[in-house]
Amino acid sequence: MIETIGDDRRFPSALAAVAEVEFDYDDGEGIDFEPYTAFDSAEESTDWIRHWTGNHELDGDAYRVFGQDGTGGLAALWCTRPGRPLAEQPVVFLGSEGERGVIAGNLSDFLWVLADGLGPMEVIEYEQREARPNPTLTELAERHATTPRRTAQEIVAQAQAEFPTFCEDLDELCR
């Protein structure tokens, strides 16, 4: 049986494996990412999206927050595909200063982005940032990914093409 999103907050094994990796920011040359060992609670997600948008009518049901960058920007699974498991939901980033965007079309592709040496913030902040393959994250992706390896650039372009209005739709929720 495949578990669909609903109120599912079970942490996928791939994210648990990511949480075991120590990310090195390397003075701005590495990955600025601090993975969590569990999703934020529904209450924490609601509080976050309300503060991020200024819209206190929203709830955080559409997001499963699983990590942050050093400034407090958050990486999340965006539950926008009804009836599909969490691992098949796109990965998004909402930065502390209003940065936002789609990172990958699913959790598996996100693992390949990390393997290319890019974290959520780097994808959104630096469109042309050069990939710096990470052997530890490559091995992790090889163990957990269900999609074929592609470059971070290809993955991000495909995900952003699939969800071209993510930023505008999010902006419309802001007050």
Side-chain angles (χ1 to χ4, degrees), residues 75-153:
L77 294 174
W78 174 37
C79 301
T80 190
R81 294 179 174 137
R84 304 274 290 277
L86 285 175
E88 293 180 18
Q89 303 299 330
V91 175
V92 297
F93 178 76
L94 282 80
S96 62
E97 301 299 319
E99 313 88 344
R100 71 262 184 258
V102 179
I103 307 302
N106 56 57
L107 181 54
S108 181
D109 282 348
F110 177 67
L111 298 177
W112 292 121
V113 171
L114 291 175
D116 247 9
L118 299 172
M121 185 274 297
E122 289 83 17
V123 167
I124 299 305
E125 288 289 305
Y126 311 106
E127 285 184 36
Q128 300 303 317
R129 184 166 178 151
E130 186 177 313
R132 294 180 45 197
N134 180 304
T136 300
L137 292 166
T138 297
E139 191 274 326
L140 187 150
E142 288 169 347
R143 278 188 289 124
H144 292 277
T146 58
T147 54
R149 183 172 191 162
R150 291 174 290 141
T151 67
Q153 186 176 14

